[in-house]
Every structure is written in C-alpha cells, then in structure tokens.
Amino acid sequence: MIDWLTVVAHGFWIAGLALILAALSYYYWLAGQEGRSLRRELAGPSFQKLLLVGLLLVGIGLSGTSQQLWQVIAAAAVAVGAAIALVLLWRTAAE
C-alpha cells in the first residue's frame, strides 16, 4: 500500500527545489535580457523571496521524510530559518 504522507512530504522538497531552479533560470535569463549582472538580479528581494519559499518547502519536506532525530532537527532548522528570513524580508519590503 502507498504511504501517502511520505509521498506528500517528498512532494514538498521536490517542489521547493523546482521553485529554486526555476527562479535561478528565470533571473539568469532576465539578467541577460536587461544587460545587468546576475549578482545584481539575485540580490533583489523578488528573487530572495522565491529562494526562501523554496528553502521553506525543502525544509518541510525533508523534516517529513527524515528517519533519525538529527535529520529532523537539521531540516526543521532550515525550515524555521527560512521562515524567519522570509518574515524579515517581507517586513523590510513593507516599510
């Protein structure tokens, strides 16, 4: 029988990595189109938001698929760190 919770947990980290890869690809293309450096594009808050949402999804997914306590703690630390950074980024953007 299929363990659907594990499938969902794996879906979270796969979606997170896909989001990060798509954001990198898009901002690489945008830097070329606009004639700006990739570093400048990646330093912008719009890319950072996508990166942090992707990291949050990766952390959630990995904490759901981890087998040992240290793995759960490491994945949860990634998720919590990404969530805190995302909140701080949205707060500074709103000001």
Side-chain angles (χ1 to χ4, degrees):
M1 181 170 246
I2 296 175
D3 183 10
W4 289 105
L5 290 177
T6 303
V7 172
V8 170
H10 282 291
F12 273 110
W13 72 261
I14 292 170
L17 287 180
L19 179 64
I20 293 169
L21 180 62
L24 283 171
S25 176
Y26 173 73
Y27 283 98
Y28 178 77
W29 172 82
L30 187 62
Q33 292 294 313
E34 299 290 328
R36 295 189 290 238
S37 69
L38 182 60
R39 179 179 293 209
R40 183 174 174 196
E41 292 295 329
L42 298 183
S46 58
F47 172 76
Q48 290 178 2
K49 287 178 187 175
L50 289 173
L51 177 67
L52 289 171
V53 169
L55 281 175
L56 180 64
L57 290 172
V58 169
I60 291 170
L62 291 180
S63 64
T65 61
S66 300
Q67 300 294 321
Q68 297 179 351
L69 180 62
W70 69 271
Q71 293 172 336
V72 174
I73 291 171
V78 169
V80 169
I84 290 171
L86 197 55
V87 168
L88 291 175
L89 186 62
W90 272 328
R91 278 189 168 176
T92 57
E95 292 176 356

